[in-house]
Amino acid sequence: MNEEQVLIARLQDLAKRAYRQNIYTYTGFLTPAELAVVYEKQADFSFVGMTCFGGTPECERQMVQFGSEELFGYAGVFPISIILVEPLLDKFAEDLSHRDFLGALMNLGIERSVLGDILVKDGKRAYIFCQENIVAYIMEQLTKIKHTNVKTSLVEGEIEDLKPVLEDIHVIVSAPRFDAIVAAVTKCSRNETLDIFRAKKVTRNGRIEERNSLVLKDGDSFSVRGYGKFRYCGAGSETRKGRVNIYLKKYI
């Protein structure tokens, strides 16, 4: 079987087990491409119910929960924990990227599916979303990233630091189409932009979006792999040359 067939078989197994045993079942963290398969097959799981979540509403990597409070009589709790990683001593800390944090975790022999989003703050700290069953191992083993000694702590409750920081962006496009907006924020040509869509590097509201001619709705969020995440805030007036003002917010 190919990777998609293996994923579908796994989803079907988890859904059936949830229904038969009256318990919530969970996948590991799935990529946007894998989540696209999940949503495509969503109707097949209506008998048991399905919810996707990654730790916060903004997370791109998400788990799938099979089961529902209506069916089971109790609410399910996603087995997701958040670990804060920060320098042991700030004055000796290097600038660290998402790749640095992920690489350090991979070097511990951890499978990518047990890790969700990694949110880097100030180039020094990061919040790691992960499965509960891997928390103790990460906190014990993750002591250094590149040449920087780090410490870890488990964080709970509402975390002010995880609330998105948004920067206002204004672009002018020929038409309020999705591909025109993506071209504007990436500064790519029309052909390069089409290639980005074909390569499934664009997500809208957490799902891969290949319809490049789509007209976005106010509040839609979208990501372009390698270029960042944005929120669409609507179209404004036309310029004298008939072009359209578009207002966005960029997650920083």
Side-chain angles (χ1 to χ4, degrees), residues 116-132:
D117 283 16
I118 300 173
L119 304 182
V120 180
K121 297 288 184 176
D122 309 321
K124 305 291 184 184
R125 304 171 292 121
Y127 291 91
I128 299 171
F129 292 78
C130 64
Q131 291 185 12
E132 288 179 347

Side-chain angles (χ1 to χ4, degrees), residues 66-92:
F66 291 106
S68 67
E69 186 171 4
E70 180 181 7
L71 185 65
F72 296 160
Y74 67 101
V77 179
F78 280 81
I80 297 173
S81 295
I82 306 172
I83 298 173
L84 172 61
V85 182
E86 51 191 341
L88 203 55
L89 294 170
D90 276 345
K91 65 179 179 179
F92 297 125

Side-chain angles (χ1 to χ4, degrees), residues 218-235:
D218 287 4
D220 277 353
S221 64
F222 68 93
S223 296
V224 186
R225 194 189 311 164
Y227 294 94
K229 184 174 181 178
F230 306 83
R231 181 182 298 167
Y232 179 73
C233 300

Side-chain angles (χ1 to χ4, degrees), residues 83-89 92-108 118-120 123-128 138 141-152:
I83 298 173
L84 172 61
V85 182
E86 51 191 341
L88 203 55
L89 294 170
F92 297 125
E94 305 166 86
D95 284 336
L96 299 172
S97 67
H98 181 279
R99 179 177 293 182
D100 295 326
F101 284 97
L102 179 58
L105 291 164
M106 295 292 96
N107 287 337
L108 297 178
I118 300 173
L119 304 182
V120 180
K124 305 291 184 184
R125 304 171 292 121
Y127 291 91
I128 299 171
I138 292 176
Q141 297 294 324
L142 188 62
T143 58
K144 180 175 286 190
I145 299 176
K146 293 179 70 176
H147 301 293
T148 300
N149 293 319
V150 298
K151 59 184 178 180
T152 59

Side-chain angles (χ1 to χ4, degrees), residues 39-214:
Y39 285 118
E40 188 177 302
K41 299 293 182 180
Q42 187 169 5
D44 295 346
F45 307 120
S46 59
F47 68 94
V48 68
M50 184 192 89
T51 309
C52 299
F53 185 59
T56 74
E58 308 296 335
C59 287
E60 292 193 347
R61 293 178 63 86
Q62 300 179 13
M63 286 182 174
V64 181
Q65 169 191 274
F66 291 106
S68 67
E69 186 171 4
E70 180 181 7
L71 185 65
F72 296 160
Y74 67 101
V77 179
F78 280 81
I80 297 173
S81 295
I82 306 172
I83 298 173
L84 172 61
V85 182
E86 51 191 341
L88 203 55
L89 294 170
D90 276 345
K91 65 179 179 179
F92 297 125
E94 305 166 86
D95 284 336
L96 299 172
S97 67
H98 181 279
R99 179 177 293 182
D100 295 326
F101 284 97
L102 179 58
L105 291 164
M106 295 292 96
N107 287 337
L108 297 178
I110 296 173
E111 294 183 5
R112 187 65 177 98
S113 63
V114 305
L115 300 172
D117 283 16
I118 300 173
L119 304 182
V120 180
K121 297 288 184 176
D122 309 321
K124 305 291 184 184
R125 304 171 292 121
Y127 291 91
I128 299 171
F129 292 78
C130 64
Q131 291 185 12
E132 288 179 347
N133 59 6
I134 200 69
V135 168
Y137 181 74
I138 292 176
M139 294 184 68
E140 178 183 333
Q141 297 294 324
L142 188 62
T143 58
K144 180 175 286 190
I145 299 176
K146 293 179 70 176
H147 301 293
T148 300
N149 293 319
V150 298
K151 59 184 178 180
T152 59
S153 56
L154 189 62
V155 294
E156 299 177 353
E158 187 172 346
I159 305 167
E160 188 70 25
D161 211 16
L162 290 180
K163 293 182 179 179
V165 178
L166 303 174
E167 175 188 5
D168 290 329
I169 300 288
H170 168 231
V171 296
I172 299 175
V173 298
S174 56
R177 291 166 40 120
F178 199 6
D179 53 3
I181 294 171
V182 169
V185 298
T186 61
K187 295 180 172 56
C188 288
S189 68
R190 177 178 174 80
N191 286 337
E192 289 171 333
T193 302
L194 290 176
D195 287 341
I196 290 173
F197 276 92
R198 292 190 188 110
K200 298 183 178 181
K201 294 182 177 180
V202 180
T203 61
R204 180 178 66 91
N205 298 333
R207 306 186 189 187
I208 287 179
E209 184 61 76
E210 297 182 73
R211 296 173 294 173
N212 61 290
S213 62
L214 185 76

